[in-house]
Amino acid sequence: MKNLSKQFQRIVDNSTLEDLKILGDFLENFEKKQQGEFNTYLSASLNMQRETDEHSSAVHIPNTPFIHNNIDIPHGGILAVLLDTAMGTLASSKCPDGYAAVTTNITIHYLSVAVEDEIRADARMIRQGAHTMVVEGNIVQQDGKHIATATGSFFIVPKRH
């Protein structure tokens, strides 16, 4: 624990204002994970918010330098996480009790760069079968600019206890 405190102090001492903002946001969301507001560390680290209804699912995160790649745009892998999460959340919501949906295949087409303050992925069901589902996901900015589109196949499996 002592080494962790020293490491944290070194990080703070060497941080830029941007570093401190990112670190502060991360720690705030880590605390929310501890308090049960987030189910996973990934959702907490990205400050991912979810919305699901009978026909669709959406997830959104802030577009900050925390998710940017080395050319200062949102990393494609982060967009893939958003699409997979939106589609998987919808698929899992359609499973019978005791079952969940896991991704078996995902195809993503990156169309443009996300520039708005929030990035949102929306999902809708294409086909719901007894053992597999096909779901479509899209990231479209509020100004109508289409950022990415995806389809995913999901297999229905028993939940692990």
Side-chain angles (χ1 to χ4, degrees):
M1 185 59 102
K2 189 175 179 181
N3 287 338
L4 184 58
S5 295
K6 286 180 180 180
Q7 179 185 24
F8 187 79
Q9 189 58 55
R10 278 193 314 273
I11 290 169
V12 170
D13 290 345
N14 293 311
S15 289
T16 64
L17 290 177
E18 181 178 80
D19 294 340
L20 292 173
K21 170 77 171 108
I22 296 290
L23 181 59
D25 289 346
F26 179 85
L27 293 173
E28 181 180 330
N29 291 324
F30 191 92
E31 284 183 311
K32 288 179 181 178
K33 163 67 172 89
Q34 291 177 322
Q35 297 162 1
E37 291 184 44
F38 289 104
N39 292 331
T40 66
Y41 292 107
L42 180 61
S43 292
S45 67
L46 295 173
N47 193 16
M48 185 184 295
Q49 306 299 314
R50 298 175 193 228
E51 305 162 21
T52 303
D53 64 29
E54 186 179 336
H55 303 290
S56 64
S57 176
V59 297
H60 53 92
I61 63 171
N63 185 357
T64 70
F66 183 73
I67 65 161
H68 291 177
N69 61 20
N70 62 348
I71 59 171
D72 295 324
I73 62 172
H75 192 287
I78 297 295
L79 301 182
V81 166
L82 287 176
L83 288 161
D84 187 43
T85 301
M87 293 187 299
T89 299
L90 179 60
S92 285
S93 77
K94 300 297 184 182
C95 292
D97 287 341
Y99 290 83
V102 296
T103 309
T104 59
N105 186 6
I106 189 169
T107 301
I108 302 170
H109 298 276
Y110 299 96
L111 307 171
S112 193
V113 175
V115 296
E116 293 182 338
D117 291 341
E118 181 180 271
I119 302 173
R120 176 185 168 112
D122 292 284
R124 70 176 186 87
M125 188 66 62
I126 303 270
R127 182 184 185 282
Q128 181 179 344
H131 302 288
T132 61
M133 297 180 205
V134 177
V135 183
E136 176 184 66
N138 288 286
I139 297 174
V140 179
Q141 293 188 153
Q142 289 204 356
D143 68 3
K145 184 176 167 187
H146 203 155
I147 305 303
T149 190
T151 54
S153 299
F154 295 84
F155 192 64
I156 301 168
V157 299
K159 287 183 179 178
R160 297 174 102 183
H161 298 286

